[in-house]
């Protein structure tokens, strides 16, 4: 009537084994999202909580803080990811050619920031970019240039943070691309050379199309990493920056929760961010089809 | 230079213009590479130097790169200023370590089942896990925190660790690796009468060592350096090291950068060590199990 014993035992094994994982993902990934949605529809703390519908969202969309933060974040992530990818591609190309010696040394060097914590990176760079006694300004001085207020000027602070973030991720992005670059068979290039392709054509018609999947993966990973890193950089160094110039979205969410004590607003913001992420994700999947 | 040109001549029959231009861009290329290596490596080297500088040197202008005397006493001073430092270190270990263990076990189990078994609802379950990828940990922090407040688990190890003790990313790493293990091994074991749990523990897990090592390095470093979640979830004695090091700067009236450097080095060492020690296990393959 039913399946043989050993098959039944196997099924039991499967479901029992999957259970803990399913419970944890269900309970700690999906359920809090629902809870966040519920919470974002209320206002007030503790006993004063009341249901206010979408009022929270309305006030968020009406606040300049929100739009400023969105702009700052977009600038930050867009700038960091694009520059990082370009740099990583160039570096990977250089390190892939046979003419360069000591490749493993350079590769090891470039991997260092990956092993450290974003907190460490933030602290060291804050020290180096200090306007008065930082080493970067000292070097500029030596070259006869004026000192630059890297982190205290509202027009420069974001760019400085972007430089730090790029510094932090270009190493492993390059390694990722390099690994894939090395997988492209030399025969492709040799065959095209016989057909008369020059270096530029080889780049456009062979290298880039074959690298597209890994570039798209790199964009995804860099974006995720940058989002995480942006919080650390802002919270440790600039606290939202001179006049909100570095008020990244993740920091806005944190501030709303712990400085304004507005947990429902913070949850609303988090949900908005997730919504944006899903939209971007769907868009990306559609365009790579 | 002549020998290079001769080699090129023999290969293509003529010395093309590109051969010469190829040669002239080697110098600037090396220059760029070395510049990059310096830019990347210097800040870390500088931090090591910072950790050994005295307070006078650290606030000196022009900045000092190599301290005149190595102040190893900084490490002692740091422990004096942060008496709970060992406790914070332990907290980080417990946090990162538990999550690594959880991932090693649960994610490989899940990956194994996804790779080697067919069962009702398999599609739905895999989709379930895939969708959870859309909600990365960092965005979930505030919703999770609100949930934890309701559960009363803020500032507890359990609340800190359990939400992250398994994750879709790791599941799929293990899934891909275990897929490459031949199913014959399992069949042979089943014929020999091994039970399913036994097969997983004694056969699959040892074979999956390279992937497990990758997961360990990856997750340990990631969780050791995690900042926002412990910042939000822990207070006082339960804090993890990165949070403490970052706040350390804030409590000083004038930043004692040398001690901050010291704290950073201490923060860096464990994940660095794990990285170094486990590196070599990645290259050892799965050869051996299939020798029949």
């Amino acid at each position: 009537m039913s399946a043989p014993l050993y098959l039944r035992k196997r099924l039991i094994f499967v479901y029992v084994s999957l259970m803990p994982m399913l419970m944890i993902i269900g309970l700690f990934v999906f359920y809090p999202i629902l809870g966040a949605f519920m919470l974002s529809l209320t206002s007030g703390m503790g006993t004063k909580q009341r249901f206010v519908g979408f009022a929270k969202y309305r006030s968020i969309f009406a606040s300049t803080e929100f739009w400023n933060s969105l702009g700052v974040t977009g600038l930050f992530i867009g700038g960091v990811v694009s520059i990082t990818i370009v740099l990583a591609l160039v570096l990977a190309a250089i390190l892939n050619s046979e003419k360069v010696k000591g490749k493993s040394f350079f590769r090891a060097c470039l991997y260092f920031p990956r092993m450290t914590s974003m907190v460490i990176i933030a602290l060291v760079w804050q020290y180096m970019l200090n306007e008065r006694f930082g080493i970067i300004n000292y070097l500029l001085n030596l070259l006869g240039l004026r000192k630059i207020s890297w982190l205290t000027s509202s027009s420069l602070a974001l760019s400085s943070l972007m430089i730090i973030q790029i510094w932090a991720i270009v190493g492993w992005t390059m390694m990722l691309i390099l690994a894939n670059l090395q997988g492209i068979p030399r025969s492709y290039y040799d065959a095209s050379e016989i057909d008369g392709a020059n270096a530029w054509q080889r780049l456009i018609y062979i290298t880039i199309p074959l690298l597209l999947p890994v570039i798209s993966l790199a964009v995804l990973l860099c974006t995720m990493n940058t989002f995480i890193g942006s919080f650390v950089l802002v919270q440790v160094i600039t606290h939202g920056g001179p006049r909100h110039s570095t008020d990244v979205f993740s920091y806005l969410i944190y501030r709303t929760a712990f400085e304004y004590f507005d947990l429902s607003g913070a949850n609303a913001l988090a949900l908005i961010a997730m919504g944006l992420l899903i939209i971007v994700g769907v868009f990306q999947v559609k365009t790579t089809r | 230079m002549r020998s290079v040109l001769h080699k090129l001549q023999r290969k293509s029959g003529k010395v093309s213009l590109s051969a010469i231009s190829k040669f002239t861009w080697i110098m600037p290329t090396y220059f760029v590479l070395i510049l990059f290596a310096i830019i990347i490596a210097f800040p870390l080297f500088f931090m090591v130097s910072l950790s050994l500088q005295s307070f006078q040197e650290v606030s000196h202008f022009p900045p000092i790169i190599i301290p005149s005397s190595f102040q190893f006493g900084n490490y002692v001073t740091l422990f004096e200023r942060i008496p709970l430092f060992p406790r914070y270190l332990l907290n980080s270990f417990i946090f990162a370590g538990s999550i690594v263990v959880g991932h090693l076990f649960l994610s490989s189990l899940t990956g194994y089942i996804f790779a080697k078994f067919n069962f009702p609802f398999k599609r739905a379950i895999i989709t379930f896990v895939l969708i959870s990828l859309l909600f990365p940990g960092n965005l979930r922090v505030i919703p999770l925190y609100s949930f934890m407040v309701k559960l009363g688990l803020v500032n507890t190890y359990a609340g800190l660790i359990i939400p992250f003790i398994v994750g879709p990313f790791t599941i799929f790493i293990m899934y891909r690796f275990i897929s490459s293990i031949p199913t014959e091994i399992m069949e042979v074991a089943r014929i020999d009468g091994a039970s399913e749990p036994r097969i997983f523990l004694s056969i699959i897990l040892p074979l999956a060592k390279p992937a497990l090592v990758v997961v360990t390095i990856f997750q340990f470093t990631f969780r050791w350096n995690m900042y926002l979640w412990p910042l939000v979830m822990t207070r006082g004695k339960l804090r993890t090291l990165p949070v403490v090091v970052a706040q350390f700067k804030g409590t000083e009236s004038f930043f004692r950068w040398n001690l901050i450097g010291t704290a950073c080095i201490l923060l860096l060492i464990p994940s660095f060590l794990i990285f170094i020690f486990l590196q070599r296990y990645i290259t050892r393959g799965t050869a051996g199990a299939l020798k029949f």
Side-chain angles (χ1 to χ4, degrees):
Chain A
M1 49 125 224
S2 62
L5 182 64
Y6 76 92
L7 274 182
R8 266 188 289 155
K9 271 200 190 159
R10 207 177 286 182
L11 270 184
I12 294 179
F13 171 72
V14 163
Y15 289 121
V16 167
S17 308
L18 288 180
M19 196 93 87
M21 178 270 303
L22 288 174
M23 282 193 338
I24 291 186
I25 293 190
L27 204 57
F28 294 109
V29 177
F30 291 110
Y31 184 73
I33 310 254
L34 237 72
F37 186 64
M38 295 282 109
L39 201 55
S40 67
L41 299 180
T42 69
S43 184
M45 302 275 290
T47 47
K48 294 215 302 255
Q49 259 191 344
R50 59 196 193 281
F51 182 76
V52 289
F54 287 97
K56 250 299 160 336
Y57 289 94
R58 275 198 286 266
S59 70
I60 286 179
F61 286 121
S63 72
T64 44
E65 243 184 1
F66 171 72
W67 295 106
N68 173 59
S69 181
L70 221 53
V72 167
T73 311
L75 210 61
F76 188 73
I77 295 186
V80 168
V81 172
S82 47
I83 296 181
T84 304
I85 300 273
V86 167
L87 274 180
L89 280 171
V90 169
L91 283 173
I94 294 180
L95 285 181
N96 193 36
S97 81
E98 298 103 29
K99 308 184 195 75
V100 177
K101 303 270 174 27
K103 278 188 282 213
S104 27
F105 169 71
F106 286 119
R107 281 185 221 162
C109 259
L110 285 168
Y111 215 64
F112 275 162
R114 175 69 152 146
M115 296 191 279
T116 65
S117 151
M118 209 60 206
V119 171
I120 298 179
I121 295 177
L123 289 172
V124 173
W125 275 95
Q126 185 178 13
Y127 181 63
M128 295 200 311
L129 289 179
N130 186 296
E131 189 176 357
R132 265 172 295 129
F133 50 80
I135 195 169
I136 306 272
N137 272 350
Y138 172 60
L139 288 175
L140 288 181
N141 243 10
L142 285 183
L143 293 175
L145 300 165
R146 245 180 327 132
K147 287 186 186 177
I148 302 184
S149 33
W150 297 100
L151 298 170
T152 45
S153 132
S154 54
S155 45
L156 279 184
L158 189 65
S159 314
S160 306
L161 291 190
M162 279 169 62
I163 295 177
I164 303 178
Q165 182 69 31
I166 293 175
W167 178 91
I169 60 180
V170 85
W172 58 258
T173 311
M174 183 223 67
M175 296 284 275
L176 185 67
I177 295 182
L178 186 63
N180 276 64
L181 196 59
Q182 286 173 331
I184 300 181
R186 285 242 51 183
S187 47
Y188 288 17
Y189 291 113
D190 295 337
S192 68
E193 269 194 63
I194 294 177
D195 285 345
N198 62 29
W200 190 244
Q201 286 169 322
R202 286 203 302 273
L203 182 72
I204 301 186
Y205 291 110
I206 302 181
T207 315
I208 295 201
L210 283 176
L211 278 185
L212 270 182
V214 78
I215 292 183
S216 140
L217 176 69
V219 167
L220 183 68
L221 291 177
C222 282
T223 309
M224 279 170 39
N225 228 281
T226 306
F227 195 79
I228 297 179
S230 66
F231 178 77
V232 178
L233 288 179
V234 171
Q235 213 261 356
V236 171
I237 303 181
T238 60
H239 301 286
R243 291 203 292 271
H244 292 284
S245 59
T246 60
D247 194 13
V248 198
F249 205 74
S250 43
Y251 189 65
L252 179 64
I253 299 180
Y254 172 76
R255 253 196 354 198
T256 313
F258 295 99
E259 282 174 32
Y260 302 164
F261 298 108
D262 181 12
L263 213 50
S264 59
N267 275 301
L269 285 171
L271 285 176
I272 294 177
M274 286 191 223
L276 281 175
L277 187 68
I278 293 181
I279 294 178
V280 169
V282 167
F283 181 72
Q284 204 199 16
V285 167
K286 287 255 155 77
T287 50
T288 50
R289 281 302 136 129
Chain B
M1 176 131 180
R2 285 202 73 179
S3 57
V4 174
L5 288 179
H6 279 312
K7 263 191 245 166
L8 288 168
Q9 215 160 6
R10 264 180 272 137
K11 253 172 89 172
S12 62
K14 54 177 162 67
V15 179
S16 55
L17 201 62
S18 59
I20 300 181
S21 54
K22 264 186 216 162
F23 200 75
T24 48
W25 63 252
I26 280 202
M27 268 327 200
T29 308
Y30 268 110
F31 180 70
V32 165
L33 267 186
I34 293 184
L35 192 66
F36 254 99
I38 293 181
I39 295 179
I40 298 277
F42 178 73
L44 301 167
F45 164 75
F46 194 35
M47 177 185 54
V48 175
S49 153
L50 267 191
S51 73
L52 296 174
Q53 289 182 12
S54 65
F55 185 53
Q56 289 77 25
E57 290 174 316
V58 143
S59 27
H60 185 263
F61 186 79
I64 297 182
I65 301 186
I66 312 227
S68 50
S69 64
F70 289 174
Q71 302 280 341
F72 285 104
N74 278 347
Y75 288 85
V76 177
T77 321
L78 186 68
F79 277 87
E80 283 169 18
R81 282 181 181 269
I82 311 184
L84 280 180
F85 201 88
R87 176 67 200 267
Y88 301 133
L89 203 67
L90 182 69
N91 290 337
S92 276
F93 258 114
I94 294 180
F95 178 57
S98 317
I99 293 187
V100 166
V101 168
H103 274 257
L104 286 182
F105 189 68
L106 287 175
S107 298
S108 50
L109 188 57
T110 308
Y112 169 55
I113 292 184
F114 283 172
K116 296 295 181 191
F117 290 81
N118 277 314
F119 47 93
F121 301 116
K122 179 174 179 182
R123 255 290 187 79
I125 294 181
I126 292 192
T127 315
F128 183 72
V129 174
L130 269 172
I131 294 187
S132 72
L133 273 173
L134 278 177
F135 303 109
N138 221 56
L139 280 177
R140 273 168 23 219
V141 168
I142 293 295
L144 261 177
Y145 174 72
S146 317
F147 185 41
M148 287 296 167
V149 169
K150 250 197 283 182
L151 288 179
L153 284 179
V154 183
N155 207 32
T156 61
Y157 282 121
L160 191 63
I161 294 174
I162 296 183
F164 294 102
I165 212 162
V166 71
F169 197 64
T170 317
I171 292 178
F172 284 107
I173 292 181
M174 297 310 299
Y175 168 74
R176 288 193 58 188
F177 188 83
I178 295 182
S179 299
S180 68
I181 297 180
T183 318
E184 287 82 44
I185 297 185
M186 289 160 46
E187 317 247 323
V188 165
R190 280 185 191 136
I191 294 176
D192 283 348
S195 67
E196 294 294 339
R198 186 73 197 285
I199 295 181
F200 174 65
L201 290 173
S202 313
I203 299 180
I204 303 289
L205 273 189
L207 282 179
K209 265 216 206 102
L212 291 178
V213 168
V214 168
V215 166
T216 306
I217 295 182
F218 197 69
Q219 282 296 322
F220 188 84
T221 327
F222 188 52
R223 305 300 172 182
W224 179 265
N225 295 328
M226 209 170 178
Y227 186 64
L228 177 55
W229 175 243
L231 176 68
V232 155
M233 278 292 286
T234 61
R235 319 263 184 276
K237 292 213 292 209
L238 212 69
R239 294 225 120 141
T240 59
L241 208 51
V243 180
V244 168
V245 173
Q247 312 291 54
F248 177 58
K249 182 193 71 166
T251 56
E252 305 281 299
S253 54
F254 180 74
F255 299 169
R256 296 186 173 268
W257 287 104
N258 52 339
L259 291 182
I260 294 177
T262 314
C264 286
I265 296 290
L266 288 174
L267 178 60
L268 176 62
I269 288 181
S271 54
F272 190 72
L273 286 178
I274 298 245
F275 193 82
I276 301 283
F277 279 138
L278 291 184
Q279 271 285 30
R280 49 198 160 112
Y281 288 106
I282 302 184
T283 46
R284 294 199 196 147
T286 59
L290 297 181
K291 298 200 193 99
F292 343 113

